[in-house]
Structure formats: structure tokens, C-alpha cells
């Protein structure tokens, strides 16, 4: 039995003595309408305040002098936002993009990670924490929230209070903890598309000093795209998660919490649909229309919202995440000492269709990887009459191993090789490329250590000065090797020179690199906040932050002779200057809350994803852009005039641009042609057979994936009723979100702009004072057609494929608490 199997079993057994069904609803008088305001807000109709731990101590959200969105568990469940990917519907400045769990990007205000294919060699700009444990892989964002109490979305650099430095923000997830009073919660949901979701949690004492809690969640749903090739729906949901916790409290001053969790996904995912084609600079007979016609291929549908595809390669998104942690909290009287020790793992087993067609061009694309990470944090919190402070130490060690396989298929030769007068006729011979494989072996070792601290010095009852500092050391070393084998398994690089060998090495290039780097960084911030009056707080923040140095872990670009450019193996750290000012206020006897913030973030040496468009050679690598700027304004408003009505509206304007990026990858309409020279300058975009620049100056263009305008809103009204002899509330709720258009390509392209869209959801239900909640819901009620992501196919053939947003879904949820 493996250690991970033992972990799964122990997670389940941790709460077995008190196992029972549990539920996520509160009694009727305590059940809140969904709220996402960034301030003190009633978590119940009785006027309770939302308590957060953003500054590593418990305080109301309205007291925190920074921009923070708080989403309670009831809001998450009522609106169906059951993971971070869906959470962006409630938080306008949060952007999440996912072509599959590995290639998931979580950004705040347009910043965090570069848009496009991911690499293990760089850090997240948005940290994801679950009960103080840092999750280094964004893949965790695709899993169900598991027994979550609330989620805090912190905007702006968070390096002087959190274990891992983050330049764009942090998502702080707090789960429900073991209790010394028995409680149980349960929830089941059924919907169209064979949607089924079940959640359960139970907590209670095992003795007067020991308490346990166990929670499970499972989600399944039929896919939303039909694959005519395999005669089944794809892009389904298939999630399972379990968490177990033991709380040992020998006295009032000390508590020890041992937690273990395991989650897995095994869907047939993640396929694309045909969206459109656009002219590139390749010769016309080498573009999509001519290549498809030459092989007698016709796409199953040219309307993406028919939700049909015919991709032929096998699909899989096997995903397992889990770990264990031990948290000790010791009350020392004057302050509190905390220790968080954690281990986490991530196993990724993918299979993809990299050519986005029903032709056997790329027949296999599989890059499984395994990660282990260890972290240790010590933190001391002190609260005094004139000053509060936090000091901490953080250590992190990570290893990721990847084994890659990409293989060409029967249609590859005619698709990738230009016809010629060569008597061997290699371009029309399927055997030229069929079975040609690129075998990648790689690993990454990453170590970091940091000391950090922040003090809140109360100069007066109204005015507080809050400086913070951080010193950070990072070391990264990697290994990458690509071997090229023919269909018989023979290394192509060892074969005699021939036209076939040259053609094969033009598709896959052998390479080996061992990048390594270490770096020290010092960062700091200063926050000034002043209470102009009761319930009226103003603040201003300056932060000098960084994103640590990175390495290219997926191979290196090559020079004219085909040799790896070793200098491209290391990516400089980002240098961040962040300015922010805000106002937090409540009025109308605290029945209304309005918070406003304005920000400007400049990043030098921005770590960007660069792609070269070649099939199978090097899909993407990291490089430094000169400068990026994100600036904007955010506003969050909520109102609760009575226990019968509540509403919120959140909005954000974000202007995120490349200030200077002079050697960026060109968009598809400028790619694929003969290299431009002084004698033959670059042709106009979309000129078949034209001349293409080696790179493009995209200074002034918007960052990909960022909408200028984003809004979310919601409201709920209820009335007391008696139904089937049960007293309770009947309620009607609405929530929705809007995003303006955005670019879906690292360099803005006329072919990959996604139009703005709005999604509206409704629910109607009945909740009782005894803790029963029954409601029906419809999401995307107006069946809006929209894209979540557009992708450009390799080889500059002009094909654009996409991933679709969910269609209209509807269902019924039943929750109970006891």
C-alpha cells in the first residue's frame, strides 16, 4: 500500500467515529442572501459581521485597509460557484482561464501568470492558500471547494504577511474546522446534462480534548460538446474530494490540527471546437483550407455553438491532488505563535488533441507529471494597545518530474511538409512522419526561503502606519531532454543524412538543457490608513514587490544553426511598483456598504509567454517583456434594508497594457511567411506567401485575457411562509456577471478576440428554521453563447479552435443541517 493510499484512507477515517450526513445551510433566520462585498457585511440577517484573516489575525473585513472580496459558503453554494474557476463570476477583478487543469491561469487585475501554455519554471503571481497552506499548482483551482467556510480574494501584492511572495494578490480559502459540539450538514443537487453533486460534512468530539471533522464532495456532469468521432460527449465533470481533520486541544492555550485531503478528477477532457480560419503569411496551398481539402477533410460543423467536434486523438485529464498538514497554535499571552507544516502532491495524467482537427496529424500528446512540495511556516502575531505586528519565516521545497510524448500520425506528412519535386516524394508519403515521436524527460527542483514582517503602529485612535518588509532567497535548477525517434524506435539524430531525416528533424528537434539560477530579493510596503469617522476608513498603499527568477523548463529557442540559445534558459525576476488608494464606508445604520479602490501597478521585466507557432518544435517558452502596467478602479456596493431584501453590485475598470514589448511573438496574421529583410519588408497582415517579421512590437496593446469592464450583481427577496406545516421563508434570487471583450492570444490578433458577454442566473426556494433548504435554479438562464478561450492551431495554418462557456443548465438542490 502506497503512502498516498494511506493518506486517502486516513482522510476518510479521521472523522469516522462521528460520521453522518451533514448540510451546508443555516437556519432560516441565519441564512444569508449571496454577498461578495469587500467590507463588513452581515453574514446573517441578525447583523453579524464577516470576520476575515487577511492580515493573519481575526478582524472584520471593513477594518482591513486593503481591497478584499469576501465570498461566504452560502454565496458559493447558492450561486453554483463551486471552484475558483467559477468564482470569477462573483469577483470582477479575478480572471481564470483553463484549457485543462494544468494550463490554468489565475490572475487578479490582469496580472499573475502569463497567458498561454504554462511552464513549471515560473511562479504564480496569485497565491492560493487553503487553511494557511500554500498550493503551488494552479490545478488546485479546478477542484470542488471542500467544506469551505469562506473565500477571501486579496488584490495587490501580498508578500509581507503570507508565506510565499505573490505580486498580484492571494486567494485565502478557509475551511470549516472540527468542533466540540456535534454538527452535520448535507447537500444533494440534480440537474440537466446528468448533473449530480453531493456534499456532506460532520464534526464532533471524540473526547473532551479531541474533535474530528470529515467532509466529502462529488460532482459529475455529462460533457457539453459531442464528439462525432467517438460518438460521446466530452468535456465532462468528474470530481471527488475528501478531507479529514483532527483537532487536539490539551488546554486553552494550545491547539494542534492534523489535516489530510485527497481529490481526483478523471474526465474525458479537454477538447475544442472549430471556430474560424484566418489568413496567415504561409503560402495559400499550405493554409488550413487547402490542406484540409487535399486530404478530403471537412470539419463536422463550422458553427461552434452547434457544440460538435470530431477530434480523433484520445482525451484525458487525469488529475490527483492531496496532502497533509499539521498546524500548531500556541497562545503565549502577549501574542500567538503558529507553525504550519505541510506536504502536498499533484499527479497529472493528460491526453490531448494538439492539432484541433479530426485528422491524425498529432496522434498523441501526453505530458504526465508528478509534483511533491514541502513547506514550513512559523509566524508570531502580537496585538497591543498601540501596535500590532506579525513576523514570520517560510521555507518551501518542490520537485516536479515530467515524462512527455508527442507523436505524429498518418496525416502528418501531407499537413506539415511542403510538396516538392523530390523523387522520394516524402511529403505525400505517410510513412515519412507517421509514428515519429518526441520523448521529453524533464525535472525541476525549486527551493525558497523567506523572512517577513509587518507592523501596524497606531499613532492615534484614527491614524495607523503599517510598514512591512520581506527578504527572499530562491534557487531553481532544471533538466530538459528531448529525443526524436522514428516509428521503429530508432533515434533519428543517429541516422545517416537524407531528405527524410531532414524533414523529420524539421518537425521535432532533439535538445538538452540544464538551466540553473539563484537569486535574493528584498521587498517592502507601506500602508497609511485613517478613520475619517465611524464606519469611514481611507487608506493608501505603496508596495515594492517582485516575482522570483524563473527558468525555461519546456525547452529553449534555437539559433539559425538549430542550437539551443542557452542564455534564454533563465528569466529575470519581475520588479513591481504598486500604488493603491481606497475608501471603505458604511451608512444608513450600516444597512449599506460602499467600498472604492484605485490602483496602478508597473512591472518591469514582465515574465511573458512566447510562442513560435511551429508544430511540435517548441510550443512556448518564457521571456521578459520590457514593462507592463495595470491600472483601474474597483467599486463594491451592497445593501440590506431589512431581513427581507439584500442586494450587491460590484464593478471594475481595468486598463492592463504592455507599456514596452518590442520583441514579442507576432500574431497569426503576421506569421508563417518567409523571414522579412531590409530588401523584403514585412507584408501586410494575412498576405499568403508574404514576408513575416521575426518578432513584433506590441507596446501599447492590452494584456490578453483582461476585460476593460467587468461587473457582478445579485439580489434576493424573501417572505415568511408556512409550507407543509413548516415555518420558513420563500425566496427568489438573481445573480449575474458581465465581461467586456478581451484578447485570447498573447499578441492581440484579429482572429482571437472574444466578444463581451453577460450571464444571468435565477433561483427560487424555501428554507425552514429547522435547517432545510430546497431550491430550484437555472444558470445562464438566457442561454448566452460565449467563448471562455480561443486557441491558435500550430503551424500557422490559420485554424482557430475554442472552448465554450456552459449552456443553460437547471436543477434542484436540497440541503439539510442537523
Amino acid at each position: 500500500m502506497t503512502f498516498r493510499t494511506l493518506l486517502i484512507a486516513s482522510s476518510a477515517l479521521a472523522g469516522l467515529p462521528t460520521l453522518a450526513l451533514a448540510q451546508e445551510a443555516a437556519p432560516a433566520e441565519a441564512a444569508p442572501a449571496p454577498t461578495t462585498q469587500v467590507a463588513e457585511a452581515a453574514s446573517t440577517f441578525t447583523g453579524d459581521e464577516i470576520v476575515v484573516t487577511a492580515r493573519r489575525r481575526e478582524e472584520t473585513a471593513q477594518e482591513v485597509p486593503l481591497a478584499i472580496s469576501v465570498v461566504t459558503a452560502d454565496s458559493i453554494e447558492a450561486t453554483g460557484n463551486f471552484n475558483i474557476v467559477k468564482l470569477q463570476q462573483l469577483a470582477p477583478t479575478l480572471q481564470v482561464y483553463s484549457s485543462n487543469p494544468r494550463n490554468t491561469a489565475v490572475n487578479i487585475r490582469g496580472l499573475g501568470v502569463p497567458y498561454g501554455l504554462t511552464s513549471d519554471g515560473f511562479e504564480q503571481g496569485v497565491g492560493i492558500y487553503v487553511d494557511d497552506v500554500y498550493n503551488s499548482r494552479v490545478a488546485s483551482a479546478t477542484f470542488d471547494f471542500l467544506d469551505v467556510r469562506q473565500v477571501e480574494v486579496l488584490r495587490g501584492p501580498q508578500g509581507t504577511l503570507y508565506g510565499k511572495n505573490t505580486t498580484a494578490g492571494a486567494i485565502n480559502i478557509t475551511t470549516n474546522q472540527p468542533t466540540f459540539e456535534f454538527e452535520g450538514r448535507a447537500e444533494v443537487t440534480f440537474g440537466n446534462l446528468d448533473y449530480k453533486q453531493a456534499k456532506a460534512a460532520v464534526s464532533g468530539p471524540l473526547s473532551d480534548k479531541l474533535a474530528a471533522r470529515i467532509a466529502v464532495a462529488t460532482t459529475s456532469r455529462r460533457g457539453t460538446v459531442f464528439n462525432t468521432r467517438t460518438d460521446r460527449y466530452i468535456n465532462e465533470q468528474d470530481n471527488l474530494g475528501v478531507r479529514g481533520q483532527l483537532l487536539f486541544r490539551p488546554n486553552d492555550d494550545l491547539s494542534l490540527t492534523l489535516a489530510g485531503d485527497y481529490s481526483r478528477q478523471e474526465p474525458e477532457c479537454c477538447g475544442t471546437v472549430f471556430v474560424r480560419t484566418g489568413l496567415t503569411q504561409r503560402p495559400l496551398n499550405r493554409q488550413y483550407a487547402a490542406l484540409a481539402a487535399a486530404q478530403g477533410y471537412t470539419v463536422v460543423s463550422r458553427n461552434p455553438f452547434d457544440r460538435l467536434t470530431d477530434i480523433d486523438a484520445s482525451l484525458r485529464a487525469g488529475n490527483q491532488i492531496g496532502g497533509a498538514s499539521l498546524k500548531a497554535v500556541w497562545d503565549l499571552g502577549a501574542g500567538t505563535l503558529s507553525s504550519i507544516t505541510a506536504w502536498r502532491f499533484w499527479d497529472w495524467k493528460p491526453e490531448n488533441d494538439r492539432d484541433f482537427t479530426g485528422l491524425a496529424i498529432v496522434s498523441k500528446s501526453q505530458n504526465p507529471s508528478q509534483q511533491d512540495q514541502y513547506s514550513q511556516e512559523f509566524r508570531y502575531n502580537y496585538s497591543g494597545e498601540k501596535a500590532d505586528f506579525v513576523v514570520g519565516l517560510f521555507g518551501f521545497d518542490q520537485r516536479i518530474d515530467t515524462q512527455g510524448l508527442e507523436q505524429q500520425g498518418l496525416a502528418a506528412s501531407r499537413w506539415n511538409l511542403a510538396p516538392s519535386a523530390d523523387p522520394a516524394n516524402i511529403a505525400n508519403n505517410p510513412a515519412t512522419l507517421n509514428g515519429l515521436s518526441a520523448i521529453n524527460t524533464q525535472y525541476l527542483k525549486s527551493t525558497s526561503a523567506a523572512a517577513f514582517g509587518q507592523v501596524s503602529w497606531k499613532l492615534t485612535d484614527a491614524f495607523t502606519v503599517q510598514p512591512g518588509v520581506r527578504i527572499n532567497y530562491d534557487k531553481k535548477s532544471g533538466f530538459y531532454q528531448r529525443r526524436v525517434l522514428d516509428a521503429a524506435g530508432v533515434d533519428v539524430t543517429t541516422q545517416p543524412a537524407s531528405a527524410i531525416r531532414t524533414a523529420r528533424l524539421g518537425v521535432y528537434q532533439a535538445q538538452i538543457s540544464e538551466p540553473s539560477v539563484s537569486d535574493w530579493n528584498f521587498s517592502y510596503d507601506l500602508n497609511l490608513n485613517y478613520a475619517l469617522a465611524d464606519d469611514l476608513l481611507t487608506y493608501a498603499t505603496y508596495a515594492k514587490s517582485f516575482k522570483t527568477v524563473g527558468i525555461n523548463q519546456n525547452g529553449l529557442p534555437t539559433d539559425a544553426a538549430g542550437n539551443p540559445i542557452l542564455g534564454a534558459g533563465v528569466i529575470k525576476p519581475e520588479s513591481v511598483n504598486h500604488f493603491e488608494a481606497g475608501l471603505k464606508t458604511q451608512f444608513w445604520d450600516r444597512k449599506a456598504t460602499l467600498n472604492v479602490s484605485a490602483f496602478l501597478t508597473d512591472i518591469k521585466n514582465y515574465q511573458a509567454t512566447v510562442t513560435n507557432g511551429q508544430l511540435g518544435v517548441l510550443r512556448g517558452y518564457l521571456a521578459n517583456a520590457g514593462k507592463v502596467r495595470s491600472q483601474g478602479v474597483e467599486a463594491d456596493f451592497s445593501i440590506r434594508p431589512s431581513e427581507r431584501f439584500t442586494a450587491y453590485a460590484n464593478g471594475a475598470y481595468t486598463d492592463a497594457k504592455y507599456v514596452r514589448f518590442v520583441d514579442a511573438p507576432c500574431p497569426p496574421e503576421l506569421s508563417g511567411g518567409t523571414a522579412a529583410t531590409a530588401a523584403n519588408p514585412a507584408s501586410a497582415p494575412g498576405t499568403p506567401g508574404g514576408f513575416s517579421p521575426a518578432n513584433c512590437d506590441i507596446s501599447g496593446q492590452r494584456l490578453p485575457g483582461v476585460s476593460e469592464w467587468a461587473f457582478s450583481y445579485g439580489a434576493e427577496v424573501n417572505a415568511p411562509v408556512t409550507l407543509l406545516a413548516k415555518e420558513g421563508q420563500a425566496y427568489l434570487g438573481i445573480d449575474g456577471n458581465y465581461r467586456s471583450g478581451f484578447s485570447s492570444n498573447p499578441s492581440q490578433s484579429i482572429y482571437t478576440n472574444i466578444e463581451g458577454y453577460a450571464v444571468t442566473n435565477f433561483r427560487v426556494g424555501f428554507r425552514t428554521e429547522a435547517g432545510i433548504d430546497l431550491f430550484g435554479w437555472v444558470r445562464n438562464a438566457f442561454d448566452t453563447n460565449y467563448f471562455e478561450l480561443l486557441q491558435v492551431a500550430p503551424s500557422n495554418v490559420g485554424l482557430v479552435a475554442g472552448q465554450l462557456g456552459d449552456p443553460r443548465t437547471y436543477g434542484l438542490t436540497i440541503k439539510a443541517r442537523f
Side-chain angles (χ1 to χ4, degrees):
M1 181 179 291
T2 67
F3 181 72
R4 295 181 185 180
T5 305
L6 288 171
L7 169 66
I8 299 167
S10 63
S11 297
L13 292 172
L16 189 59
T18 56
L19 183 61
L21 290 180
Q23 103 117 354
E24 298 284 5
E29 71 271 18
T35 175
T36 58
Q37 56 269 32
V38 237
E40 175 195 88
S43 61
T44 72
F45 290 134
T46 58
D48 293 340
E49 298 171 331
I50 289 182
V51 176
V52 300
T53 57
R55 292 196 292 178
R56 297 313 201 189
R57 56 180 178 268
E58 291 190 351
E59 55 192 333
T60 65
Q62 197 70 358
E63 294 174 318
V64 180
L66 57 83
I68 172 174
S69 299
V70 183
V71 186
T72 64
D74 297 275
S75 302
I76 291 169
E77 292 167 3
T79 56
N81 295 283
F82 54 84
N83 59 27
I84 294 176
V85 175
K86 294 184 176 296
L87 189 66
Q88 62 182 325
Q89 297 177 11
L90 297 177
T93 52
L94 181 67
Q95 299 99 26
V96 186
Y97 310 97
S98 181
S99 59
N100 58 47
R102 173 181 166 80
N103 291 311
T104 298
V106 178
N107 286 351
I108 293 176
R109 296 168 172 171
L111 305 175
V113 294
Y115 192 86
L117 293 172
T118 60
S119 168
D120 296 325
F122 64 85
E123 305 287 342
Q124 302 177 49
V126 176
I128 299 175
Y129 294 85
V130 180
D131 292 337
D132 286 346
V133 175
Y134 175 70
N135 285 244
S136 64
R137 297 310 307 175
V138 187
S140 61
T142 66
F143 282 97
D144 291 358
F145 289 135
L146 189 56
D147 197 24
V148 165
R149 182 169 65 88
Q150 69 183 31
V151 179
E152 303 163 15
V153 181
L154 287 69
R155 283 115 66 179
Q158 307 293 326
T160 62
L161 280 172
Y162 280 79
K164 190 71 173 174
N165 183 68
T166 55
T167 56
I171 298 175
N172 188 28
I173 300 171
T174 304
T175 69
N176 292 304
Q177 298 299 297
T179 60
F180 283 92
E181 292 184 3
F182 177 80
E183 65 176 35
R185 305 177 180 182
E187 171 185 334
V188 292
T189 298
F190 301 94
N192 66 326
L193 306 181
D194 296 326
Y195 179 68
K196 303 178 186 68
Q197 186 175 71
K199 300 179 182 180
V202 66
S203 181
L206 302 180
S207 70
D208 60 346
K209 298 183 185 299
L210 186 65
R213 186 179 192 95
I214 187 170
V216 295
T218 177
T219 302
S220 64
R221 192 185 72 178
R222 193 201 75 190
T224 57
V225 172
F226 187 76
N227 189 345
T228 59
R229 181 64 60 94
T230 59
D231 196 33
R232 63 163 292 169
Y233 285 93
I234 62 172
N235 298 355
E236 58 201 10
Q237 293 177 0
D238 180 12
N239 295 353
L240 172 67
V242 58
R243 172 187 293 272
Q245 299 177 84
L246 286 172
L247 170 62
F248 178 55
R249 188 174 292 163
N251 54 58
D252 293 338
D253 297 330
L254 179 65
S255 66
L256 301 171
T257 303
L258 176 65
D261 69 278
Y262 169 80
S263 297
R264 70 112 180 102
Q265 296 173 328
E266 198 64 43
E268 185 170 341
C269 186
C270 301
T272 58
V273 297
F274 175 96
V275 176
R276 64 175 67 97
T277 60
L279 291 176
T280 70
Q281 307 283 48
R282 290 192 95 183
L284 197 59
N285 69 338
R286 305 302 300 149
Q287 300 205 33
Y288 174 83
L291 291 170
Q295 301 202 42
Y297 173 69
T298 302
V299 67
V300 63
S301 174
R302 300 184 72 89
N303 177 4
F305 297 106
D306 285 342
R307 297 182 179 272
L308 297 174
T309 190
D310 62 346
I311 53 179
D312 62 312
S314 59
L315 297 178
R316 185 187 184 191
N319 201 10
Q320 297 183 64
I321 285 180
S325 65
L326 177 63
K327 181 175 181 179
V329 180
W330 188 13
D331 186 349
L332 301 177
T336 302
L337 179 64
S338 300
S339 169
I340 304 101
T341 306
W343 162 74
R344 298 203 62 74
F345 73 87
W346 176 53
D347 284 350
W348 171 233
K349 298 178 181 179
E351 297 179 16
N352 303 295
D353 191 315
R354 284 297 307 158
D355 57 57
F356 306 142
T357 73
L359 291 169
I361 304 169
V362 179
S363 59
K364 292 182 180 180
S365 179
Q366 303 166 7
N367 286 277
S369 63
Q370 308 83 40
Q371 175 198 283
D372 282 284
Q373 71 165 67
Y374 301 86
S375 61
Q376 174 64 56
E377 183 171 354
F378 296 105
R379 192 172 61 243
Y380 179 74
N381 296 55
Y382 170 84
S383 294
E385 183 177 347
K386 288 296 184 181
D388 302 331
F389 69 81
V390 177
V391 293
L393 298 172
F394 179 75
F396 176 81
D397 185 74
Q398 174 189 54
R399 175 164 177 137
I400 303 176
D401 290 277
T402 302
Q403 310 83 34
L405 167 64
E406 194 163 285
Q407 189 173 87
Q408 300 287 289
L410 282 168
S413 297
R414 296 187 68 179
W415 191 270
N416 294 317
L417 304 179
S420 69
D422 182 76
N425 196 25
I426 61 174
N428 290 319
N429 182 0
T432 302
L433 295 184
N434 184 38
L436 181 71
S437 300
I439 310 295
N440 301 334
T441 302
Q442 62 191 82
Y443 68 77
L444 170 74
K445 297 177 182 179
S446 178
T447 302
S448 65
F452 57 89
Q454 187 181 96
V455 60
S456 296
W457 184 18
K458 305 167 189 175
L459 296 181
T460 70
D461 290 341
F463 183 45
T464 301
V465 177
Q466 183 176 289
V469 296
R470 180 187 185 93
I471 186 167
N472 210 92
Y473 171 77
D474 291 279
K475 181 178 181 180
K476 287 184 169 65
S477 60
F479 173 81
Y480 174 87
Q481 182 182 38
R482 167 173 280 194
R483 300 170 59 223
V484 183
L485 308 180
D486 65 14
V490 178
D491 193 324
V492 176
T493 61
T494 65
Q495 297 173 353
S498 67
I500 290 179
R501 178 181 185 273
T502 300
R504 289 171 174 172
L505 292 180
V507 173
Y508 290 142
Q509 296 177 357
Q511 187 178 122
I512 186 168
S513 63
E514 297 182 75
S516 179
V517 67
S518 62
D519 193 36
W520 287 89
N521 290 96
F522 177 73
S523 57
Y524 52 90
D525 55 44
L526 176 65
N527 176 278
L528 306 176
N529 55 87
Y530 188 82
L532 297 174
D534 291 342
D535 299 324
L536 181 58
L537 177 69
T538 61
Y539 65 90
T541 299
Y542 168 72
K544 175 65 175 177
S545 187
F546 72 97
K547 184 194 286 186
T548 187
V549 67
I551 61 175
N552 269 310
Q553 190 59 22
N554 293 343
L556 300 177
T558 57
D559 59 21
N563 299 313
I565 303 174
L566 298 181
V570 174
I571 306 96
K572 297 176 183 177
E574 293 182 352
S575 177
V576 181
N577 283 286
H578 173 77
F579 304 86
E580 185 162 342
L583 172 72
K584 291 189 168 187
T585 181
Q586 289 185 296
F587 50 94
W588 195 15
D589 294 330
R590 294 191 173 182
K591 296 176 181 177
T593 300
L594 174 64
N595 294 331
V596 180
S597 60
F599 64 91
L600 185 152
T601 305
D602 280 338
I603 302 180
K604 293 182 180 180
N605 293 321
Y606 177 77
Q607 295 175 356
T609 296
V610 175
T611 56
N612 62 6
Q614 292 177 274
L615 179 68
V617 179
L618 185 62
R619 290 182 300 180
Y621 60 97
L622 290 176
N624 290 108
K627 185 177 181 180
V628 158
R629 172 173 295 163
S630 178
Q631 57 188 345
V633 179
E634 303 159 339
D636 301 85
F637 175 74
S638 66
I639 186 172
R640 194 184 70 257
S642 74
E643 65 178 22
R644 300 301 171 207
F645 178 77
T646 185
Y648 70 88
N650 306 328
Y653 168 76
T654 307
D655 176 25
K657 293 182 178 179
Y658 297 106
V659 176
R660 186 173 65 256
F661 196 1
V662 298
D663 54 354
C666 292
E669 57 266 34
L670 281 171
S671 302
T674 303
T677 63
N680 296 298
S683 305
T687 301
F691 295 93
S692 295
N695 46 54
C696 288
D697 184 352
I698 62 172
S699 303
Q701 288 189 10
R702 288 165 50 196
L703 288 180
V706 187
S707 298
E708 277 194 313
W709 296 96
F711 301 96
S712 63
Y713 63 89
E716 184 179 291
V717 60
N718 68 74
V721 298
T722 301
L723 182 64
L724 300 177
K726 302 289 186 181
E727 294 185 358
Q729 296 173 352
Y731 60 92
L732 173 66
I734 180 175
D735 64 90
N737 68 289
Y738 165 78
R739 293 190 61 187
S740 63
F742 59 93
S743 169
S744 189
N745 197 64
S747 298
Q748 194 165 348
S749 168
I750 57 177
Y751 304 139
T752 58
N753 287 328
I754 292 180
E755 296 181 355
Y757 59 88
V759 174
T760 305
N761 313 311
F762 297 97
R763 64 188 176 279
V764 59
F766 173 74
R767 60 171 74 99
T768 73
E769 296 182 2
I772 302 297
D773 190 358
L774 171 67
F775 64 96
W777 47 267
V778 55
R779 295 167 189 147
N780 191 5
F782 303 114
D783 205 18
T784 300
N785 288 327
Y786 65 97
F787 295 106
E788 292 186 338
L789 191 68
L790 295 179
Q791 296 174 270
V792 178
S795 294
N796 298 308
V797 298
L799 172 62
V800 178
Q803 291 187 317
L804 307 176
D806 283 349
R808 180 193 295 121
T809 57
Y810 50 86
L812 180 70
T813 297
I814 306 171
K815 304 197 296 185
R817 183 183 65 86
F818 51 90

